[in-house]
Amino acid sequence: MINYYLAVDIGASSGRHILGHIEEEKIVLEEIYRFENKLVTKNGHLCWELNHLFQEIINGMKVCKENGKIPTSMGIDTWGVDFVLLDQQDQILGDTIAYRDNRTNGIDTEVYQLITEEELYTRTGIQKQLFNSIYQLYAIKKEHPEYLEQAQSFLMIPEYFNFLLTGVKKNEYTNATTGQLVNAITKDWDKEILARLGYRQEIFGEICLPKTSVGFLQKEIEKEVGYNLEVVLPATHDTGSAVLAVPADEEDFIYLSSGTWSLMGIERMEADCSLESKAYNFTNEGGYDYRFRYLKNIMGLWMIQSIRREWNEQGKQYGFPDLIAMAKEADGFTSIVDVNNASFLAPVSMEKAIQKYCQKSEQTVPKTKGQILACIYHSLAKSYKETVQEIERITKKTFSKLYIVGGGCQDPYLNRLTMEATKKEVFAGPVEGTAIGNLMAQMLRNKEFSSLKEARRCVGRSFSIQKIEK
């Protein structure tokens, strides 16, 4: 009998249901359902449509039954930092506002009057991102203090979906750490931070590790989908899952989880919460089995995705191969932008934001589509190079290999630029890194693998891993 496992992987623009099973000592994947995710404007804010997303989760689960492939377990992963507050009746308080919204503008200065930026880093090891949960909560405290007073539960987005499925509330470690509210030493909610900022400690539940069982489906959900299964916590933060799927056989390697965001870093067993680490803006996000994902957030393919969407809305439809071809034609264009500049987070026009940045920095302003794209590609490669150098400087180690996982590993032009810029051995794959990592946690729970090392070896033999050549 085949044990099927279901990964529900929800990103900023789409979600997928992917079934996985072991066959001839390899992981076999099958995408069975895909759905759209997008931000909507409500009451002047950018929001997620959680009702829509949960219905799509159910719809994909039904397809398993229709295909005669009922999973043993399922796990849900999403992006980090965003959350819901539930009242006494377990209803969401207010709208579920997304991290790209501007409600946190200026909130950091108010937070730092209660706890300094330096102390926040030394306690949590998490890099400052203005959209972290800690700042979002303070924005709620200012705009809707009644929500924090009425709140009975704080749940990150995937844990909220787990609650709807099972009726059980469980917080998950890798995702919780992204909010800048978890202590890097205790690996639990930092009660000192919560107290100083006036966040009631009782709403933050016990933090559980990946592989933990949440529970089985509620009766009404079981009836609707036509079967029951166990809901298991993967690394519910998508990067946490993606890093699990790095097919490395060695201990020391650099990874690049390449998607809407580029997450570049290393695995380590202890956090580096030093002021030197803070100065380089590295973060110590939680990983599998209390590892730390010591990494830097880089704006990533968001810039290319935004440009493509912008140009397609103007009429002509461009695919990613078209964009790569245009970028190659303008390969000699030399202007570079800081891809992590706040002006690129959610601009009305990405093209104009890039042109404005180049103008302000007294560089040649890109005019053609190819020049715009060449600027983005070379800027990303430069950011990757600088991040590798910073990792090696801080750790006093030299790393020979760089593994690129996730959808961005399919971009051969960016892979080559990355290899040339970093001067490392670069390996690309697997594409479905996040979904595979999600499945791996479930498979490890069910003892399909005896260790993470064994599971990673299985990934290496199961999927196409390409060494990037000049």
Side-chain angles (χ1 to χ4, degrees):
M1 178 181 172
I2 296 175
N3 285 325
Y4 291 102
Y5 304 87
L6 175 63
V8 181
D9 171 30
I10 307 177
S13 59
S14 67
R16 297 91 46 78
H17 288 60
I18 295 181
L19 277 175
H21 69 276
I22 302 293
E23 187 175 314
E24 296 180 352
E25 299 186 337
K26 293 182 179 180
I27 300 172
V28 179
L29 303 183
E30 178 186 0
E31 183 180 306
I32 61 165
Y33 191 71
R34 181 178 284 265
F35 56 93
E36 183 183 22
N37 183 23
K38 62 180 180 180
L39 293 171
V40 297
T41 301
K42 290 183 183 177
N43 301 315
H45 293 291
L46 293 173
C47 300
W48 301 110
E49 293 186 292
L50 296 192
N51 289 340
H52 159 74
L53 292 178
F54 185 66
Q55 186 55 56
E56 293 288 19
I57 291 172
I58 297 297
N59 292 342
M61 293 171 69
K62 290 178 181 177
V63 175
C64 296
K65 176 69 181 269
E66 293 167 8
N67 292 355
K69 297 177 180 178
I70 295 175
T72 299
S73 66
M74 68 177 288
I76 302 174
D77 66 77
T78 74
W79 60 96
V81 307
D82 287 340
F83 57 87
V84 297
L85 296 174
L86 302 182
D87 65 14
Q88 202 161 15
Q89 286 74 43
D90 291 325
Q91 298 301 306
I92 295 176
L93 290 158
D95 297 320
T96 306
I97 298 176
Y99 67 89
R100 289 194 186 276
D101 186 77
N102 63 8
R103 66 171 168 171
T104 54
N105 288 354
I107 290 293
D108 52 337
T109 58
E110 298 189 42
V111 168
Y112 299 152
Q113 291 174 17
L114 301 172
I115 182 168
T116 67
E117 185 178 352
E118 289 74 20
E119 186 179 358
L120 261 180
Y121 191 85
T122 58
R123 296 185 75 91
T124 68
I126 298 298
Q127 73 178 128
K128 177 185 177 179
Q129 299 271 22
L130 198 51
F131 48 67
N132 286 350
S133 311
I134 189 172
Y135 305 112
Q136 292 197 48
L137 280 166
Y138 207 82
I140 292 173
K141 185 178 178 181
K142 285 194 64 180
E143 189 174 353
H144 290 287
E146 71 277 13
Y147 292 167
L148 282 176
E149 292 168 9
Q150 297 166 21
Q152 298 298 308
S153 304
F154 170 98
L155 291 174
M156 307 295 274
I157 300 298
E159 286 76 45
Y160 173 65
F161 291 143
N162 289 340
F163 166 64
L164 294 181
L165 289 170
T166 65
V168 178
K169 299 172 185 174
K170 284 197 176 177
N171 300 90
E172 189 275 324
Y173 175 64
T174 68
N175 214 348
T177 62
T178 66
Q180 211 170 2
L181 293 165
V182 175
N183 188 286
I185 302 298
T186 67
K187 301 176 179 64
D188 200 357
W189 303 113
D190 192 308
K191 294 178 181 179
E192 180 69 21
I193 293 174
L194 299 180
R196 285 204 221 169
L197 298 180
Y199 305 156
R200 290 173 29 247
Q201 296 179 17
E202 59 267 28
I203 72 174
F204 297 89
E206 178 190 0
I207 296 178
C208 302
L209 286 174
K211 287 200 310 183
T212 301
S213 174
V214 180
F216 288 82
L217 301 181
Q218 298 192 77
K219 291 298 181 185
E220 61 269 26
I221 302 294
E222 179 183 357
K223 185 176 180 181
E224 185 173 359
V225 301
Y227 59 90
N228 207 340
L229 52 59
E230 187 175 25
V231 177
V232 171
L233 292 176
T236 65
H237 183 226
D238 49 13
T239 309
S241 277
V243 171
L244 274 179
V246 172
D249 207 22
E250 60 277 333
E251 291 290 326
D252 292 328
F253 57 87
I254 295 176
Y255 59 78
L256 172 59
S257 177
S258 181
T260 300
W261 286 91
S262 290
L263 296 310
M264 191 174 208
I266 59 175
E267 281 188 326
R268 58 194 310 170
M269 294 310 295
E270 293 183 0
D272 182 347
C273 302
S274 67
L275 293 182
E276 180 190 21
S277 178
K278 177 185 178 299
Y280 283 116
N281 208 26
F282 275 88
T283 197
N284 295 269
E285 293 178 353
Y288 179 81
D289 200 20
Y290 287 130
R291 287 170 171 78
F292 286 95
R293 291 175 286 126
Y294 187 66
L295 59 84
K296 181 170 281 192
N297 286 279
I298 301 167
M299 198 73 77
L301 300 183
W302 164 251
M303 299 179 74
I304 295 171
Q305 293 163 353
S306 297
I307 281 289
R308 176 175 178 255
R309 189 181 308 112
E310 185 176 335
W311 290 346
N312 285 354
E313 287 173 354
Q314 295 170 4
K316 187 174 179 180
Q317 298 300 299
Y318 293 96
F320 288 106
D322 301 320
L323 303 185
I324 292 170
M326 288 189 286
K328 284 182 175 179
E329 287 177 6
D331 195 59
F333 189 75
T334 57
S335 295
I336 296 291
V337 301
D338 174 7
V339 295
N340 285 327
N341 188 276
S343 63
F344 304 127
L345 185 62
V348 175
S349 166
M350 185 64 75
E351 178 176 347
K352 289 180 180 177
I354 291 166
Q355 290 171 331
K356 187 175 181 180
Y357 184 100
C358 290
Q359 184 178 29
K360 279 190 171 183
S361 56
E362 299 182 345
Q363 300 181 82
T364 303
V365 176
K367 295 178 180 177
T368 68
K369 286 181 167 58
Q371 289 174 346
I372 292 281
L373 288 162
C375 178
I376 295 173
Y377 271 105
H378 284 278
S379 298
L380 282 171
K382 181 174 184 287
S383 182
Y384 298 157
K385 171 188 175 181
E386 290 172 349
T387 302
V388 166
Q389 291 173 339
E390 289 165 359
I391 289 170
E392 294 187 333
R393 194 173 301 134
I394 290 170
T395 61
K396 297 179 174 56
K397 285 184 178 181
T398 300
F399 298 83
S400 61
K401 294 182 180 179
L402 168 62
Y403 290 88
I404 306 175
V405 299
C409 78
Q410 298 174 96
D411 191 322
Y413 182 52
L414 185 55
N415 290 344
R416 180 173 65 78
L417 291 179
T418 301
M419 183 265 296
E420 291 173 352
T422 62
K423 296 180 169 50
K424 302 296 180 187
E425 283 187 273
V426 175
F427 299 86
V431 175
E432 297 289 357
T434 299
I436 294 167
N438 182 324
L439 294 167
M440 286 166 65
Q442 298 179 58
M443 291 173 174
L444 281 160
R445 173 176 173 75
N446 209 31
K447 296 184 170 44
E448 299 274 10
F449 306 113
S450 61
S451 65
L452 177 57
K453 190 170 185 177
E454 182 187 339
R456 280 179 165 158
R457 284 175 176 166
C458 184
V459 172
R461 63 176 177 264
S462 301
F463 304 99
S464 173
I465 313 297
Q466 179 188 6
K467 183 177 181 180
I468 305 305
E469 307 287 355
K470 289 187 179 180

